[in-house]
Each structure stands twice: as C-alpha cells, then as structure tokens.
Amino acid sequence: MDVSSKIRAAWQWLAAPELWSRRQTAGEAVLAVLIGLLAAGIEDISGGEGWRPAAVALAAAVLSLLRRRLPATVLVITGALTPPLGGFSMLLILVGWSSGRFIAGAGRALGAFTASFALFLSVSLVHSWDRNQALTLAFLNALYFLATTVVPGLASRYWTQRRTLLHTLQERNAQLLRERAMVEGQVRLRERQRIAQDMHDSLGHQLALISVHTGALEVDPELTERQRTAVGVLRNASVTAMHELREVVGILRDGVEAPHPAGAGAADEAARAARGIAGIDGLAHAARVAGHGVELRRSGEPRPLAAAADHAAYRIAQEALTNAYKHAPGARISVELRYEPDSFVVEVVNAAPSGSPGDVVSGGQGLTGLHERARLVGGMVHAGPVPGGGFRVAGVLPYGVVEAASRAEAAPLVDAADDFRQQSRTRPLRDRGRAKGGGPGAAGPVMDWSPGAGGPGLDWTITERELAMAIRGGRTRGEGVAIGCGIAFAALVLLMVAGGFGIYFLMGSMNKGMIDPKEYEAISVGTAESEARDRLPSGDTIWTSGLSSKGPKEPEGSQCLVLMSSATTDTFETEPVFRFCFKDGKLIEKKSYDVRR
C-alpha cells in the first residue's frame, strides 16, 4: 500500500461516521488552523517559551480534527491539558460543543463530561496548589468548566436532538404520503375495474345486438339502396364503438390499451387507424350521409403528431360535431384543420340553429373531458359562442407530447396543517429508484428531497430548514422556540447566579488578605505570634495566591504570612505587599516590598 492510499484510508477513518464534503473538509481545515493559532497566541501570552507555543498549537489542531471521530477521548484529554496549558482554553469550548453533539447515548456523554471535569479540577488544584485557597480554587475552576464546556455541550445536544426529531418527522411524513398514495391508487384501481366490468357487461351487450341486427338488415332485399347505405353506416358505427369500448375497458382495468386480436380483419385495422386526424374525414363523410351540412378544410403543410395528440384531435372533432348535431340541428358546420408552425389546430364552428333543438340528452361532461384530454398531451381547448349565434370549439395541440405530470403542480395528499408546514408547499416527490434503474423489482421508491427535485429539501442544511419553518410560523416553530429559549434562559440564569456568587465571594475574601500600612507599622518585631495573628487577617484568600514566591528569601525555619497593601502604587505593573515571618512563637521579621503583577 503506497503513501497516498494510507493517507486516503486515514482520512476516511477520520471523517467517519459522516463523510465530509469538500466544503466541510475546507471548513474543518481552516478551523483547525485557527484553533492552532489561537492556542499558540494564548500560550505565548501566558509565558510559554521556546517550542512550547508551537507544540501547543500543533496538539490543538490535531485534537480539533479528531473531535468528531473520538469526541469522548478528545474531551477528556482537553480537560486534562487545559489547566497547565492555557492555549487549550479556546479548544475546550469547541470540544464541549462537539462532544454534546457527537457522543452517542446520554450515559456515555455524562460519563465523558464527568471524567473530563474530574481531570480538569484535579490538574488545576495540583498545578496551582495552595492549601489555604484550595476550596476557592476548586469553586472557580468548577464555574469555569461549567461555563466553557458543560453549557455549550448541553446547547449542542439539544440542537442535535431537535434536528434529529425534525428529520424523523419529515421521513415519517414522507412515508405517510407514500402509503396514502398507494392506498388511493388501490382504491382507484378497484373502482376502475368495477366501472370497466359494468361497461363491458352492459354497453358491450347492447352494441353487439345493434351490430348483429344492422348486419342482418343490411342484406334485406326489400331495402332501397339509400336505406341499405344508411344501415351500413350504422353497422360500421356499432363495430367501431365496440372496438373503442374494448380499448377503454382495457385502459380502465389494467391501465393499458387492450391487445388487438391476432385474427382481426382489414376493416377492423382500418377502423383503428382512422381514430386520428385521418379519421376526421370519415366523421365529416358520415355527417353528410346523415343529412348534415359539414364543410372540411385543411391548411398548412401536414406534419405527424404523437399518437396521443393525434387521437386527441380526433376526439375533439368528434365531440364538437356531436354537440353541433344535438344543439344546432340543421345548422351549417365547418371543420378546419390547420398545421401551424408550432402546433396543430382543429376548429369546429357551427352556425346558429335554424330550429329548436328540442329535448337533448347530455351529461354535461363532453367539453370538460376535452379540456382534460388536451391538457394531458400539453395542449388546450377553447369553447364558446361566436357572433351571430353560433358556437366554436378549437383545440391547440403540440406536435410533440409534453407530459402533464412534469408541468402541473400535484395537489397535496395531506392537509397543510398535517404537513409540518413544509412538504405541502413543495412539488411532488419523485421516485429516483426507478429512474436509476431500480425497475419494478426495486425495494421501494427513493425519495428525491432536493429543492430542485421538488421535494421537501432534505439536503438543505438543518439551519435552512428551521429558518424556513420559522418564517412560515406555526405551532411546531413556537414549541421549538419556547423549548430552546427556556433552556437558554435557564443556563443564563444559572451562570448569572454562579457568577454573582463568585464575585461576592471574591470581594468578601479580599479583606482576608489586605491590611492598611498603618497596621503594618503598628506591629513590631518580637511581638508574640498569637498577638500578631489576632491583629492581622488570616490571608486565606485567592488574592494572595503566589505572592510568597515572588519576594525575598524567607528566614530559615520560619512561617511567613504575606498580605496585600490597601495602598496603591503609581503604576499597574507592581503590587505593594507586607510579609510577616514567625518562628518559635514570635515575630522575627517583617518586610514591605513590591512584586510584579
């Protein structure tokens, strides 16, 4: 295995459990460099010399990269290294946030934070040990760890759990949408099968009777030639109707056109082929034979249409002629077929009726069906009266079929109130499993949730989704904001109470380590230790921590008490202090000197 393969394998291990995109990788690299520079700067300000700031910067950058893969381990290590190495203070905040998000399980997270806190507190006390101020140091370090590590960890864990809950609700909603679509499809299929069976049993029987009787009547020798021609038209119409009924029944029952019998005759084949633009001539001829005045005109250079559009043109002309027969008997009818550059136009116009149409049987669904048929192939139908009392039906159809499903907005399958105020406002979900070759045997639809695909947008970032939800408003947003504000407010109150208590404690303890210069002058060398200590404060405060190591050498075998002076110096670089050294029950030395802050 070469070096590049090892580096690639190491990076894959580091990036798990979630693979980073290029943007995430660049962001993590920049963050690691920034954390390293901050660590080096803080360590240098804290007094680090030589290679120490560089080593701290490198360690902080490495731990920053490892915090996603090994969150608990990095949290414990950072908690142990922060007290002696001040450069890790900024890293501790970042690690606390990441640990709250990436440590799986509440028990494991509690254990990791507890272990990190124990190490942080222990190393802090050892590093700055002072028997007189041990309790104060422990309290301040605990407050610091709570503010910089525990609070970010809790906030991150809440944010992560809320994001997971939102994602789960969206997936469940998508599953409900799919299940409802399946149920609706099954109900629709059963209803279509029932309608198909009723049509086959009723209309099929009646049309078969018409065909048989007209066939027998056509060969009756007593009929005149004109009557025999009219009967032939009726028989052909009944045969054509039977074929169309068979196709409709097949589509209703199985969703596909019924297969054509292998032994069908040439007349049957011609009838099937004529149910397009070519069949409009037959419609006009049949109308003339029946006594209607129909004029057929063509214009433009003929161009082929897609099968669905071709059939739609035939149906528009057929329905328009039928309406003219029923509502305007005896009126002149003109049929015009125009091949325009971008679309095909079929137009049927009838003049005003010369008489009363009488009682007309109409279901009122003919024009509605034409509109829907044209829409499904990407066209449109216009129907309305014309000046002079006539009526016009015009269909505009494209030469190439445009699937309506790709253009129309599908109605939501659930109410907007039940749609988490997000998915109901998007376009329909798409099945990417079949588009990628899943085929009919695929395990199930793979939902494309991207904004461009029209889904709810699951490859949005969580912040974008919640921002969109917040803009739209609603009960879900209100509950989430209330919970988040409650947690943030509780954490803020806790920090304010702890901080106020800490400030009060520190200010109160200042009197234990400070005396006035007059009190220093009033105590003389040789005074009994018990008398001197009664007159002096105890010095048990954090304010005097470290002062004893900054002054002159203490007398051998003595115990010294170092106190601050209530007087101030001209500069902020030095601090005036007083030292009292006791031995054998007496004050053997007192000194006044300045120490550097």
Side-chain angles (χ1 to χ4, degrees):
M1 181 181 294
D2 55 7
V3 177
S4 60
S5 299
K6 292 182 180 179
I7 295 176
R8 191 180 302 108
W11 179 252
Q12 290 178 352
W13 174 86
L14 177 64
E18 56 181 66
L19 298 177
W20 295 345
S21 63
R22 292 183 177 180
R23 184 175 63 178
Q24 289 174 318
T25 302
E28 286 296 323
V30 172
L31 181 61
V33 172
L34 180 61
I35 290 295
L37 293 176
L38 289 175
I42 296 174
E43 189 63 27
D44 184 65
I45 294 175
S46 302
E49 298 178 354
W51 53 267
R52 184 170 174 177
V56 170
L58 179 60
V62 172
L63 290 175
S64 175
L65 293 174
L66 290 174
R67 77 184 194 281
R68 290 173 173 260
R69 188 65 177 88
L70 303 171
T73 304
V74 172
L75 176 63
V76 173
I77 293 175
T78 306
L81 294 179
T82 300
L85 303 174
F88 283 94
S89 56
M90 294 301 298
L91 177 64
L92 187 62
I93 301 175
L94 177 63
V95 169
W97 174 272
S98 297
S99 299
R101 176 182 177 183
F102 292 108
I103 296 180
R108 189 181 179 195
L110 178 62
F113 276 91
T114 302
S116 180
F117 172 72
L119 286 175
F120 178 85
L121 188 59
S122 301
V123 175
S124 298
L125 293 177
V126 171
H127 180 68
S128 306
W129 174 252
D130 190 332
R131 181 175 57 85
N132 296 325
Q133 287 88 34
L135 184 60
T136 303
L137 288 174
F139 171 76
L140 293 178
N141 281 287
L143 185 62
Y144 177 82
F145 189 86
L146 175 68
T148 60
T149 310
V150 175
V151 171
L154 289 176
S156 174
R157 197 161 191 85
Y158 159 74
W159 185 266
T160 302
Q161 290 178 347
R162 186 173 187 272
R163 181 188 62 181
T164 303
L165 177 60
L166 177 64
H167 183 69
T168 302
L169 291 177
Q170 289 174 332
E171 288 185 343
R172 177 174 176 80
N173 194 37
Q175 179 65 26
L176 291 176
L177 290 173
R178 292 194 296 268
E179 292 178 357
R180 176 170 291 190
M182 293 173 60
V183 171
E184 289 183 350
Q186 292 174 355
V187 172
R188 189 180 299 113
L189 180 59
R190 286 196 297 267
E191 182 65 16
R192 288 168 56 177
Q193 290 176 343
R194 185 190 65 79
I195 295 174
Q197 189 63 41
D198 289 345
M199 292 176 63
H200 179 271
D201 294 343
S202 58
L203 295 180
H205 176 69
Q206 300 297 332
L207 290 174
L209 288 177
I210 294 174
S211 177
V212 170
H213 286 289
T214 53
L217 186 60
E218 188 178 10
V219 297
D220 190 343
E222 296 183 2
L223 293 181
T224 65
E225 186 64 28
R226 184 174 181 276
Q227 292 173 335
R228 187 174 289 106
T229 302
V231 172
V233 171
L234 292 177
R235 186 183 65 81
N236 290 334
S238 65
V239 172
T240 302
M242 289 179 64
H243 290 312
E244 294 185 359
L245 176 62
R246 184 178 61 206
E247 294 176 1
V248 171
V249 168
I251 293 174
L252 284 175
R253 179 175 295 162
D254 305 318
V256 295
E257 185 176 341
H260 191 53
D268 193 16
E269 292 288 349
R272 290 171 55 85
R275 285 191 290 276
I277 296 177
I280 298 179
D281 287 327
L283 293 176
H285 176 70
R288 296 190 194 101
V289 171
H292 301 284
V294 177
E295 179 184 4
L296 177 62
R297 298 191 302 271
R298 299 177 183 267
S299 62
E301 184 178 354
R303 294 175 56 182
L305 274 72
D310 190 52
H311 188 62
Y314 176 82
R315 290 303 186 192
I316 292 173
Q318 184 184 47
E319 180 65 25
L321 288 172
T322 302
N323 287 340
Y325 302 156
K326 292 190 296 184
H327 299 284
R332 295 290 301 175
I333 304 173
S334 65
V335 180
E336 186 174 1
L337 308 179
R338 298 198 301 271
Y339 291 90
E340 297 185 350
D342 57 350
S343 61
F344 174 78
V345 178
V346 52
E347 184 178 37
V348 179
V349 181
N350 63 267
S354 57
S356 175
D359 295 332
V360 178
V361 179
S362 176
Q365 301 297 320
L367 292 178
T368 302
L370 293 185
H371 284 288
E372 180 64 17
R373 185 183 295 274
R375 187 189 69 84
L376 290 176
V377 297
M380 60 180 295
V381 169
H382 170 77
V386 296
F391 197 82
R392 173 177 176 267
V393 177
V396 181
L397 304 173
Y399 292 114
V401 178
V402 179
E403 293 295 338
S406 65
R407 303 177 298 104
E409 293 288 336
L413 296 178
V414 295
D415 295 335
D418 298 330
D419 203 20
F420 303 111
R421 309 192 65 81
Q422 184 168 354
Q423 285 178 268
S424 62
R425 292 169 173 82
T426 59
R427 286 177 288 176
L429 303 177
R430 295 190 302 178
D431 185 347
R432 291 194 301 180
R434 298 182 185 273
K436 294 184 178 180
V446 179
M447 308 310 294
D448 186 355
W449 294 65
S450 61
L458 278 187
D459 56 353
W460 294 1
T461 62
I462 297 301
T463 303
E464 289 169 340
R465 285 205 305 270
E466 296 193 348
L467 177 60
M469 293 176 65
I471 292 175
R472 285 192 282 264
R475 184 178 61 185
T476 303
R477 181 205 64 172
E479 293 177 354
V481 171
I483 295 174
C485 291
I487 293 177
F489 180 75
L492 181 62
V493 170
L494 179 62
L495 288 177
M496 292 179 62
V497 171
F501 178 75
I503 294 174
Y504 175 79
F505 178 79
L506 291 176
M507 296 303 296
S509 66
M510 184 177 292
N511 294 329
K512 298 180 180 181
M514 182 180 295
I515 62 171
D516 190 85
K518 294 181 180 180
E519 295 181 12
Y520 171 77
E521 297 293 340
I523 299 177
S524 58
V525 176
T527 304
E529 181 179 359
S530 58
E531 180 183 351
R533 288 189 179 275
D534 289 341
R535 298 172 61 180
L536 296 173
S538 64
D540 185 14
T541 176
I542 193 174
W543 297 101
T544 60
S545 178
L547 294 179
S548 58
S549 61
K550 297 181 179 181
K553 184 179 180 181
E554 298 178 357
E556 186 176 355
S558 64
Q559 293 182 348
C560 298
L561 174 64
V562 181
L563 302 173
M564 297 182 299
S565 173
S566 60
T568 59
T569 59
D570 295 335
T571 64
F572 288 98
E573 297 180 357
T574 59
E575 175 79 23
V577 297
F578 303 123
R579 188 177 73 182
F580 302 89
C581 296
F582 302 96
K583 183 179 181 181
D584 298 331
K586 294 181 179 181
L587 177 64
I588 63 172
E589 181 188 68
K590 69 174 186 177
K591 281 185 176 295
S592 174
Y593 55 90
D594 293 339
V595 298
R596 296 186 64 84
R597 294 180 184 272

